Amino acid sequence: MAQVLRATRAWKGDPVASSRRARYTAGTIDGRRLPAYVKETGVTPELDTETLAEVTVGIENWRWAGVPFRLRSGKAMADRRQQIVVTFKDVPHRPYGFTGNPGPARLTISLTPDSIDLDLNINGEDDPFALDRVNLQVQFAQGELGPYGEVLHGILSDDPTLSVRADAVEECWRIVTPILSAWRKSSVPLDNYRAGSAGPTTWR
């Protein structure tokens, strides 16, 4: 993992263009009214603390060069999701006579609950020349231990599988430090989004 992190940096080396940040305003989540973040108890509005962050990084090695990796995390969002989404390149050319454009195939790995979804483009059911989208899904049985339980079990049993080495942590800080520095200088504007939404409309 450390070897991959050493080859990772902000997309195209630009910490400003490769990152976005935002903060939620008042809204409703599951019927519960939520005040704006700056109105929350203990929050200092002058600090311009973000509640939603997005960073795009690139891995500069022969296998992943040119592939953007977008990392996004936020609070007070419409849906509580922990996902890894792989969007495949769309085909550059469709043979003559085929219609429809469902978009590129997509693989979604959900961490909570554990499931895998694969969206594929296939020939339509009624018309073999009409491309359509089909979804393949598998859901895994819940493990005996929750995520934190798995980590604690690894610590107590001296299993380093789920642990992070010191050099990996240092590389992670090297990657995000230029981005955090740009944010502290307000080089990246602080957008707003309504609590209970999917984030700023310009991000979707």
Side-chain angles (χ1 to χ4, degrees), residues 168-190:
V169 174
E170 291 175 0
E171 290 298 328
C172 289
W173 277 110
R174 177 194 58 77
I175 295 167
V176 301
T177 294
I179 297 168
L180 295 176
S181 177
W183 290 4
R184 283 193 295 268
K185 296 175 183 176
S186 297
S187 300
V188 178
L190 183 63

Side-chain angles (χ1 to χ4, degrees), residues 27-34 76-80 194-197:
T28 304
I29 301 178
D30 295 331
R32 181 171 62 95
R33 184 69 179 171
L34 204 68
M77 307 290 286
D79 300 314
R80 187 173 182 178
R194 179 177 51 82
S197 70

